[in-house]
Amino acid sequence: MKERRAGGNAEDEDWARITRVAGAGSATLSLRRALADCVELAGADGGGLTLVGRGGTTVPVCASDESSDRLGELQAALGEGPAVDALDSGGPVLAPDLASTWVRERWPRFTAEALRLGRRAAFGLPIRSGTTILGVLDLYREQPGPMAERACADASTCAEAALAIVAGDGGLSDRHAEVLQAAGVISVQLDVNVGEAMARLRAFAYRRGRSPADVARDVLERRLRFTHRMDDI
């Protein structure tokens, strides 16, 4: 629980933080700082933000640490995990104990990797603007246990403000912008939509133990061309 400070209380501090993010423009907003605020508000140990683009394409755009980045990319590649379910259902997906039987059965590969990385609880919170889902906020804890309802709501509000700015102003990192650009190239090469192209890029990277950003760079620099026989390569 946050301690009260002179001249204000924990709730005032939380909403001041949310207001700061909501009022920032793309030139001044650090998405990583906004995510750090979300993680702090939720009392979590790590987190990540995934953006939903045109055609339903999902792109992990920011993570607070290497483990969270790995888990965000893994969910996108495998199509399993709390963020995936949160986007599919449109509601929060809460897994307060990743070692529990139902979680292991629902997300076997994600859960195994999360536990290996020292994560014991995971929460996927969809981020909305009106009726539109902008993306999802992933939160991770090193100890099992539920997350307070208010903590979830405050973190979601902070993430909503950050993702709204990113979606409106194109404030993606160079690395994630390259992945999106490469997906566009692959969609032409395979004559598929960008969502399918993104899935193929991630699957290719996952099977070869590479990051999507590395594969994207090969595509953009013409060292790699996708074909419908890529699974045989």
Side-chain angles (χ1 to χ4, degrees):
M1 180 178 294
K2 295 182 176 65
E3 296 180 358
R4 292 178 180 269
R5 297 180 181 177
N9 55 39
E11 183 172 351
D12 292 336
E13 292 170 11
D14 290 348
W15 283 99
R17 183 181 293 112
I18 291 169
T19 301
R20 185 186 72 244
V21 173
S26 60
T28 57
L29 173 67
S30 163
L31 191 57
R32 185 173 295 277
R33 174 61 188 274
L35 176 58
D37 285 343
C38 294
V39 170
E40 182 182 348
L41 283 167
D45 297 301
L49 284 168
T50 295
L51 182 68
V52 178
R54 294 178 180 177
T57 304
T58 59
V59 183
V61 295
C62 187
S64 64
D65 57 274
E66 186 175 345
S67 294
S68 297
D69 184 54
R70 165 66 178 163
L71 292 175
E73 294 286 3
L74 189 66
Q75 290 188 76
L78 299 177
E80 68 174 49
V84 175
D85 284 7
L87 289 173
D88 286 345
S89 68
V93 175
L94 312 177
D97 186 357
L98 289 175
S100 62
T101 300
W102 77 266
V103 177
R104 287 176 177 272
E105 291 178 349
R106 187 172 185 84
W107 312 314
R109 293 172 292 180
F110 166 80
T111 303
E113 182 66 4
L115 291 172
R116 186 188 74 80
L117 292 171
R119 304 308 195 191
R120 290 296 308 276
F123 310 88
L125 308 177
I127 309 305
R128 297 178 177 275
S129 178
T131 59
T132 301
I133 296 181
L134 298 175
V136 63
L137 169 65
D138 266 331
L139 295 168
Y140 304 104
R141 280 182 171 171
E142 296 175 356
Q143 298 297 326
M147 184 173 293
E149 183 176 347
R150 180 168 185 270
C152 286
D154 284 355
S156 295
T157 301
C158 186
E160 179 182 319
L163 280 187
I165 294 168
V166 173
D169 295 334
L172 293 175
S173 69
D174 290 343
R175 179 168 66 96
H176 292 107
E178 283 185 347
V179 173
L180 280 175
Q181 186 179 356
V185 172
I186 295 168
S187 72
V188 174
Q189 293 174 349
L190 299 180
D191 192 24
V192 297
N193 63 40
V194 175
E196 172 65 17
M198 182 71 77
R200 293 292 295 270
L201 186 159
R202 286 172 173 156
F204 182 88
Y206 176 72
R207 288 196 303 270
R208 287 153 181 80
R210 302 180 63 193
S211 72
D214 286 343
V215 174
R217 195 165 298 113
D218 282 352
V219 170
L220 296 177
E221 295 179 1
R222 300 185 180 182
R223 292 191 295 267
L224 175 64
R225 178 180 177 83
F226 273 63
T227 71
H228 286 287
R229 294 178 58 84
M230 289 299 281
D231 289 341
D232 299 329
I233 296 176

